[in-house]
Amino acid sequence: MANQTHRIGILGSGNIFGRYVTGLARYPELEIVRVGDIDVARAKQAAADNAIPAWGDDAELYADDAVDIVINLTPPVHHARTVITALEAGKHVYVEKPLATTVTDGEAVLAAASRTGRILGSAPDTFLGSAAQTARKAIDIGVIGTPIGATAFIGHSKAETWHPNPAFLFQRGGGPVMDMGPYYLAILVNCLGPVSSISAASRIGVPQRTVTAPERTADTIEVTIPTHTGAVLTFASGAIATAQMSFDVWDSELPYIEIYGSEGTLSLANPNHFDGDVRVRRHGDDDWTVLEPALGLFGAVGTREQARRGLGVRDLATAVEGGPHRAGAAFAFHVLEALCAVENSAQQGRPVALTSSCERPEPLFTL
């Protein structure tokens, strides 16, 4: 837990901005003092709507001595450049997922953090929530025996029906692999450890999408990246996971994540949320059992509270004070490299070995 006040500037006031404002409101030691956006009028409105004292463009945010932590909510294609600029301005940075859109950019971001001595954290942070921590605890204490394999299934969020312009989800830096994949991969790495190699195939399902959102700013969008991917991930531990990542599957009865062990199976809730039931069925059990949460809930399950964000920022603030950093740069980079390996394997038609590794983050529970 952070013990001192940390003054936060949020870069980007788009769709996810309000989720961070709502989530951070739980922690009085995390004080939002500025909003920055290339659309200054939007930054001004966001500041007024949320009683944030300062607003302006991105350069003003970097230059503001009142800001010590920058939360970067820019589109993924801008992450590397804006993160490096913020680090070089002397700020600690927490960036939305993914850390960058390429391994090369990710390496540049890590080098900047090392060079400046600033602390860099990155979403996804949902593995810090009660659901993923409960699954991790069950694995660590041997509830399902030795982990052997896992499955992960990403379906379409139906963004065309609710986002005013979801074009970015179907262009470079988006797609099911980079948009939703980070949540699933982060939880799998937290539970099973680092990935060693990946083999994948992918395709574009529907090349043009119709937007039907009530307040849409675009009627149709062109798809320029794969929207349906299948992958096999081999972990350094020997566990093997299969993953389907798709913006073409609108409806399904497949589970979000299952982890299979020598003595049973775990079934996890939506990795895009911090909380939710974790069920276990050991060999010989007649039915599934819901496990007691290893942590208190971040938000009420089944309500809009599940959409809010902020645990990763709190984790960063704790690290600034010298505490453990769980959603840290090395972890985020490994997840990024794994996601890039999925894309590269599909493009090249061959398995791709990862060059990075990482430690499993220190758990939040006590055994």
Side-chain angles (χ1 to χ4, degrees):
M1 174 182 293
N3 295 310
Q4 65 189 52
T5 298
H6 298 270
R7 297 163 302 176
I8 293 169
I10 301 181
L11 179 62
S13 53
N15 187 56
I16 201 172
F17 173 84
R19 302 184 189 185
Y20 274 88
V21 172
T22 301
L24 294 177
R26 296 192 61 186
Y27 307 112
E29 69 275 17
L30 303 179
E31 180 185 359
I32 304 173
V33 299
R34 176 176 282 275
V35 183
D37 201 302
I38 57 172
D39 184 341
V40 177
R42 187 166 69 172
K44 181 179 180 180
Q45 188 63 55
D49 291 344
N50 295 280
I52 297 170
W55 51 269
D57 62 20
D58 52 345
E60 290 174 293
L61 186 150
Y62 300 137
D64 191 343
D65 291 336
V67 173
D68 54 79
I69 294 175
V70 169
I71 300 176
N72 188 334
L73 305 183
T74 62
V77 293
H78 301 302
H79 282 181
R81 174 182 57 82
T82 52
V83 167
I84 291 171
T85 303
L87 290 168
E88 290 179 341
K91 315 300 185 185
H92 305 293
V93 179
Y94 180 83
V95 61
E96 249 303 327
K97 53 81 186 168
L99 180 69
T101 56
T102 68
V103 170
T104 299
D105 282 350
E107 290 171 338
V109 167
L110 263 61
S114 177
R115 182 173 66 250
T116 60
R118 300 293 87 187
I119 296 178
L120 172 62
S122 176
D125 58 349
T126 50
F127 74 90
L128 300 175
S130 68
Q133 291 292 311
T134 299
R136 166 75 179 269
K137 183 176 182 179
I139 290 169
D140 287 0
I141 65 176
V143 170
I144 61 169
T146 302
I148 295 170
T151 53
F153 298 104
I154 298 172
H156 190 24
S157 67
K158 306 178 183 179
E160 297 98 315
T161 67
W162 55 265
H163 197 291
N165 186 0
F168 70 100
L169 293 173
F170 300 91
Q171 299 169 353
R172 185 174 67 87
V177 175
M178 283 297 183
D179 180 54
M180 293 303 296
Y183 298 109
Y184 289 71
L185 262 292
I187 286 177
L188 288 174
V189 172
N190 177 58
C191 286
L192 302 175
V195 180
S196 58
S197 66
I198 290 174
S199 181
S202 66
R203 59 164 292 181
I204 291 176
V206 180
Q208 186 179 76
R209 303 284 178 124
T210 300
V211 182
T212 60
E215 298 180 1
R216 62 186 175 275
T217 58
D219 292 320
T220 59
I221 50 179
E222 300 297 324
V223 179
T224 59
I225 56 165
T227 52
H228 188 87
T229 297
V232 175
L233 298 82
T234 300
F235 291 77
S237 66
I240 299 172
T242 57
Q244 176 178 285
M245 309 176 189
S246 182
F247 282 174
D248 294 295
V249 176
W250 282 56
D251 299 287
S252 171
E253 295 182 344
L254 296 172
Y256 291 103
I257 291 179
E258 289 183 342
I259 299 175
Y260 313 111
S262 58
E263 298 177 23
T265 297
L266 288 173
S267 180
L268 281 66
N270 188 345
N272 194 20
H273 296 164
F274 291 97
D275 310 296
D277 287 346
V278 177
R279 300 181 301 145
V280 64
R281 188 165 181 174
R282 288 173 53 83
H283 297 173
D285 288 352
D286 293 330
D287 207 346
W288 296 88
T289 300
V290 176
L291 294 174
E292 186 72 22
L295 304 174
L297 305 186
F298 185 57
V301 177
T303 73
R304 290 184 60 83
E305 290 182 358
Q306 285 295 292
R308 62 189 179 189
R309 294 289 189 253
L311 282 185
V313 181
R314 188 178 183 223
D315 176 64
L316 174 67
T318 300
V320 169
E321 297 179 23
H325 195 191
R326 297 173 174 89
F331 180 84
F333 178 79
H334 183 68
V335 170
L336 170 65
E337 190 190 5
L339 295 169
C340 290
V342 170
E343 294 185 331
N344 292 337
S345 175
Q347 291 169 1
Q348 299 167 13
R350 63 175 182 82
V352 172
L354 274 69
T355 61
S356 71
S357 187
C358 68
E359 299 291 332
R360 289 201 304 164
E362 182 177 322
L364 285 157
F365 54 83
T366 55
L367 295 175

